[in-house]
């Protein structure tokens, strides 16, 4: 494991409950932004087109369930 990751784990473990709450909120937003960027890039390059077409076909053939 990289030294930076080991240090980060130690620092997170040393946070107070209040600091950890703030860290979780920040990290949740940080992680979501990264995921959204990856997803947007996949959409732009058409990486999800086949999956989307399959989903539309399943619904057209009444293979989908209402939730």
């Amino acid at each position: 494991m990289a030294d930076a990751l080991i240090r980060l784990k130690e620092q997170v473990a040393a946070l107070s409950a209040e600091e950890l709450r703030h860290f979780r909120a920040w990290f949740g937003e940080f992680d979501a932004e990264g995921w959204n960027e990856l997803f947007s890039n996949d959409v732009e390059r058409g990486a999800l087109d086949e999956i989307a077409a399959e989903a539309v076909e399943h619904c057209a053939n009444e293979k989908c369930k209402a939730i």
Side-chain angles (χ1 to χ4, degrees), residues 52-64:
E54 186 178 325
V56 169
E57 182 182 336
H58 274 77
C59 288
N61 294 325
E62 298 182 10
K63 294 180 181 178
C64 295

Side-chain angles (χ1 to χ4, degrees), residues 17-60:
E18 178 73 8
E19 291 168 327
L20 187 55
R21 186 178 65 75
H22 286 289
F23 176 76
R24 281 188 186 126
W26 169 82
F27 188 79
E29 292 175 15
F30 172 80
D31 194 39
E33 287 175 13
W35 191 91
N36 286 341
E37 185 175 335
L38 288 173
F39 184 79
S40 294
N41 291 341
D42 285 347
V43 169
E44 286 179 22
R45 65 185 179 85
L48 305 174
D49 291 353
E50 187 176 328
I51 295 169
E54 186 178 325
V56 169
E57 182 182 336
H58 274 77
C59 288

Side-chain angles (χ1 to χ4, degrees), residues 2-20:
D3 288 342
L5 184 55
I6 291 169
R7 285 192 308 275
L8 181 59
K9 284 182 170 187
E10 291 169 351
Q11 291 171 334
V12 169
L15 294 174
S16 69
E18 178 73 8
E19 291 168 327
L20 187 55

